[in-house]
Amino acid sequence: MKGQVVGKLLRASTVGYVVGCRLSQIDVPSLGALVIVPLKKNYSVYGLITDIHIDDDGLVRQLVLSEQIAPEIIADNRQNRNVPVEISVLAVGFQQGDTVSHLLPPRPPLSLDTIYICEYPEIVRFTGNGHFGYFRHILRGVDYPIPEILAAHLQQAQAAHSNMDDSGWLELATQELITLLRDDYQMLMNVLGALADMNVKM
Amino acid sequence: MPFNYIDINHQLPEYCEKVENVRRLVSTNIDLANMRLTEGAKNQDRAIEQILEAGKNNQKLRCALPGEEAMNSIFPPSNAGFSGVLIATDGSQANSSRHARIEFSAINISAVILEVNSGEAPLIRTKSELIMPDDLLEENSFETDSHVALLRDLKERLFSADLARDIDKQVIILIDGGLELYRELSATSQYEKVLKQYREVYEDLYSQKVLYSGFIDKPGSKLVVSMLQVLSGEDISNDNSTFRLSDRKLFSKILKQPGSRSAIFSIQSHQTPNFVDEMATHFFYINTSHTEEPNIARIEIPAWVARECELVNLIHSVILKQCAIAGNVPYPYLIHRAHEEAIVRFEESNQLETIILNALIERGVYIDEKSGKQTLKDLERRKGMKP
């Protein structure tokens, strides 16, 4: 089930892609959120938001030097000026026909494909399938804060599962993380610390 | 190829020395000009008579003419409140090139409409226009870039006037550049037509009581300095004049207080017959800086605005507030935004050319090839080489 539009694809590879949207659409995406790119019939690519990046420009750098910025000027820069928000997405799986896979997608999405936020049923469908195979894509990352991404994702997925009367998902997910990180004590502590900070109920 | 830096290096010491000499000379001239301004203000009526007399005897004379305010006056920053609507327009153009496959010109005008204290983002309006070939055909050749620039300036003003008409609050239009057009000796009938339309737009704004002002950043004019030359009995075409400096340099020394403005002057000239009476261009200099380092701009306003102290204060205040928005760069924010919205970049112009070519090819119209010169210029270069 497709949710709100996050934006359109700027560039992609099989391991991830970057989505662009206007600053006025910034309320839609959130860190760690599961997104979907519906491609051809019965083929979709899943991803997890790992970074939301807002670029500056010369005028913005000048404006921040002002003692006071009028609300009209702030609104002008947010709504009218061409300031794209770049959203980095990690590829975490795909859906082919009725099958959901936690392997990397065979083909990346293409430029200007539309990216949607996953609604609860879609989140449950993806995260409840298989045995948390997509965690290894997240844990492989080097250029984003793994514990924070995991905590945000787990919180969102747990909400979706609870909504569908599945209260045991988070415990299974945490156990899987502990297993995967058994040889990386530092990362395990960081992940568990992040989960505690985000008040995820065990 | 880059510059021959060895040649440049040899010339640099002499160049720097000459720059220093000019700076020293300008500094001396500023003091002299400032003294002459003070003397002129002591007997301003006589000075006005002298300038008008000089104007009668010299049709080419173009200089400042003082009004009621003493010519050496300094007015502190204005805090007049304004809660209406500001409109800034700017335009950009794609110029035709005989080396391209098709000669075309297009104008892009953008307006930024800001309701002050509304908290709302300004509205952006953009209007694009292809210049029709029959408008530009003259002696089997396309008209010059300067004519397209003239049309662009006219369209900017027409666009602002149209937008102002639909607004029921007080409107101030901020124009990038001067208000008037000079009559060139080689003025064509097209030029005269544009000049007439210019006048009509200003009359329309006057009838709507829409305030408008031109903002000239870092002005290079010598209107006040030429006036001082006249008052000193000097020939204004004299290259060895005592006053070899621009008005900006002079007022950098006079308007030391950030936000202050000079007296209002009108322009003594026979070159602008369409800008007389209520439309006659008046101007003042303003220090838009908020630091000790002055930044002088010239503000042009029509006579009907110049006569009303309250309206002048309003323009003065609005300009200062606009210049305070972009941090330490004292330039009106809204004019910059209009420029940002209007600008046509090289790639965009190329894209438009492709659209026009496709439309012509679809109709079976024969299309020229690019000139050989342009074809070779457009060849892909080795990485690192710049055109």
Side-chain angles (χ1 to χ4, degrees):
Chain A
M1 187 184 289
K2 290 185 297 188
Q4 284 177 282
V5 172
V6 175
K8 292 199 183 291
L9 191 126
L10 293 172
R11 52 188 180 274
S13 73
T14 45
V15 294
Y17 39 95
V18 175
V19 181
C21 76
R22 292 180 71 90
L23 211 54
S24 51
Q25 293 172 282
I26 191 76
D27 292 342
V28 176
S30 63
L31 194 69
L34 193 68
V35 295
I36 187 167
V37 193
L39 299 169
K40 286 180 187 167
K41 199 178 175 191
N42 292 328
Y43 175 57
S44 303
V45 172
Y46 290 97
L48 209 66
I49 294 177
T50 56
D51 190 23
I52 300 173
H53 182 87
I54 299 159
D55 244 335
D56 64 354
D57 68 1
L59 185 58
V60 171
R61 278 195 287 272
Q62 280 306 134
L63 291 171
V64 295
L65 297 176
S66 300
E67 281 177 21
Q68 276 189 324
I69 309 177
E72 303 91 69
I73 305 302
I74 293 174
D76 182 35
N77 279 271
R78 289 184 180 169
Q79 294 170 33
N80 292 333
R81 297 189 69 239
N82 192 15
V83 185
V85 178
E86 285 199 356
I87 299 161
S88 299
V89 178
L90 176 76
V92 289
F94 63 99
Q95 176 225 311
Q96 186 95 59
D98 293 332
T99 313
V100 169
S101 170
H102 289 172
L103 292 171
L104 286 177
R107 290 172 301 282
L110 301 175
S111 302
L112 301 179
D113 274 333
T114 306
I115 288 85
Y116 300 88
I117 284 284
C118 288
E119 298 281 21
Y120 279 171
E122 193 67 51
I123 294 171
V124 170
R125 185 159 179 261
F126 178 79
T127 57
N129 183 69
H131 198 64
F132 305 103
Y134 68 99
F135 279 0
R136 67 176 172 273
H137 304 308
I138 303 173
L139 294 172
R140 206 170 38 225
V142 288
D143 53 358
Y144 52 82
I146 294 172
E148 313 303 318
I149 302 292
L150 276 169
H153 167 63
L154 261 56
Q155 180 169 273
Q156 187 200 59
Q158 169 61 11
H161 281 273
S162 295
N163 192 51
M164 310 290 258
D165 294 330
D166 174 13
S167 54
W169 180 86
L170 183 61
E171 196 179 332
L172 288 174
T174 311
Q175 278 170 1
E176 179 65 15
L177 281 173
I178 292 168
T179 306
L180 289 170
L181 292 170
R182 64 186 179 274
D183 294 330
D184 188 349
Y185 179 76
Q186 189 62 50
M187 178 61 84
L188 178 60
M189 287 301 104
N190 287 342
V191 169
L192 293 176
L195 292 183
D197 280 347
M198 294 197 67
N199 297 320
V200 175
K201 289 180 183 161
M202 305 291 282
Chain B
M1 289 298 290
F3 282 109
N4 183 335
Y5 292 112
I6 296 172
D7 282 352
I8 298 285
N9 217 24
H10 285 310
Q11 296 160 35
L12 264 180
E14 188 190 347
Y15 177 84
C16 294
E17 196 184 325
K18 288 196 169 169
V19 168
E20 280 182 330
N21 289 342
V22 170
R23 291 273 160 92
R24 272 194 289 273
L25 185 68
V26 165
S27 180
T28 317
N29 288 349
I30 288 174
D31 294 337
L32 285 170
N34 202 358
M35 276 168 55
R36 192 68 196 89
L37 193 69
T38 312
E39 283 168 23
K42 283 179 190 162
N43 196 351
Q44 189 147 316
D45 291 342
R46 171 75 196 110
I48 292 170
E49 277 173 27
Q50 228 177 310
I51 295 159
L52 292 174
E53 190 62 29
K56 277 182 200 163
N57 300 329
N58 182 355
Q59 294 291 303
K60 286 184 180 171
L61 177 67
R62 185 172 162 80
C63 72
L65 181 67
E68 287 177 5
E69 296 168 351
M71 63 172 91
N72 64 342
S73 311
I74 300 168
F75 293 85
S78 162
N79 289 319
F82 177 68
S83 56
V85 175
L86 293 175
I87 300 178
T89 47
D90 199 11
S92 177
Q93 76 223 53
N95 285 323
S96 74
S97 163
R98 65 190 162 84
H99 293 289
R101 292 193 69 192
I102 178 80
E103 288 187 50
F104 75 95
S105 296
I107 292 173
N108 201 43
I109 310 289
S110 285
V112 183
I113 307 148
L114 173 78
E115 189 175 343
V116 176
N117 299 330
S118 67
E120 300 287 324
L123 295 173
I124 313 286
R125 296 283 179 268
T126 301
K127 219 174 176 181
S128 303
E129 193 176 319
L130 265 179
I131 306 297
M132 293 299 146
D134 49 341
D135 283 351
L136 291 174
L137 276 175
E138 195 172 88
E139 293 172 9
N140 296 327
S141 150
F142 278 86
E143 189 55 278
T144 57
D145 297 349
S146 60
H147 182 72
V148 179
L150 193 68
L151 283 178
R152 184 202 63 200
D153 286 350
L154 173 67
K155 306 272 175 193
E156 282 175 23
R157 284 147 180 81
L158 280 168
F159 196 24
S160 350
D162 282 348
L163 291 167
R165 201 168 292 121
D166 298 333
I167 298 169
D168 54 8
K169 294 190 170 182
Q170 185 171 24
V171 176
I172 297 181
I173 295 174
L174 302 173
I175 295 168
D176 179 23
L179 295 183
E180 61 181 15
L181 287 176
Y182 309 129
R183 185 203 292 270
E184 304 285 344
L185 289 173
S186 58
T188 61
S189 57
Q190 279 180 328
Y191 182 89
E192 293 294 335
K193 196 173 135 191
V194 171
L195 203 61
K196 188 170 166 280
Q197 285 175 293
Y198 246 76
R199 164 90 190 188
E200 284 166 4
V201 177
Y202 288 145
E203 279 172 349
D204 180 22
L205 291 173
Y206 172 51
S207 67
Q208 292 183 62
K209 290 286 174 270
V210 170
L211 304 186
Y212 57 94
S213 72
F215 183 92
I216 299 108
D217 195 28
K218 213 176 175 185
S221 57
K222 298 175 63 177
L223 291 164
V224 173
V225 169
S226 296
M227 175 191 81
L228 297 177
Q229 278 181 268
V230 170
L231 295 179
S232 304
E234 280 192 12
D235 178 0
I236 54 160
S237 57
N238 181 6
D239 285 343
N240 295 316
S241 159
T242 325
F243 306 114
R244 285 173 64 196
L245 72 153
S246 66
D247 287 358
R248 181 172 65 87
K249 296 276 182 196
L250 173 62
F251 283 98
S252 295
K253 196 88 172 186
I254 296 171
L255 301 174
K256 285 179 186 159
Q257 185 189 1
S260 56
R261 75 158 173 92
S262 71
I264 296 173
F265 299 87
S266 60
I267 299 174
Q268 169 60 45
S269 171
H270 293 285
Q271 291 164 289
T272 53
N274 273 21
F275 299 91
V276 290
D277 305 326
E278 297 303 319
M279 305 308 136
T281 302
H282 286 56
F283 69 92
F284 59 84
Y285 286 96
I286 184 170
N287 178 3
T288 56
S289 173
H290 13 275
T291 65
E292 284 180 8
E293 191 62 38
N295 186 75
I296 302 298
R298 189 171 80 242
I299 308 299
E300 292 192 352
I301 46 176
W304 66 271
V305 174
R307 272 199 289 273
E308 301 280 340
C309 182
E310 272 181 26
L311 300 183
V312 172
N313 284 342
L314 208 53
I315 298 270
H316 186 179
S317 157
V318 162
I319 294 284
L320 289 182
K321 281 176 186 151
Q322 280 291 309
C323 287
I325 293 173
N328 56 1
V329 182
Y331 186 79
Y333 174 82
L334 225 54
I335 296 181
H336 171 70
R337 285 287 293 116
H339 165 77
E340 215 176 41
E341 294 292 332
I343 193 159
V344 175
R345 296 183 199 284
F346 181 67
E347 302 76 34
E348 289 152 358
S349 180
N350 280 349
Q351 209 167 358
L352 180 59
E353 184 182 335
T354 308
I355 292 169
I356 295 169
L357 284 173
N358 287 343
L360 290 171
I361 290 166
E362 240 174 60
R363 293 172 72 101
V365 178
Y366 170 76
I367 308 288
D368 255 352
E369 288 304 319
K370 268 195 279 194
S371 70
K373 180 179 175 172
Q374 194 61 46
T375 306
L376 290 178
K377 274 186 173 179
D378 290 347
L379 290 179
E380 198 179 336
R381 283 155 203 277
R382 283 200 189 95
K383 233 179 174 181
M385 283 180 76
K386 287 187 177 166

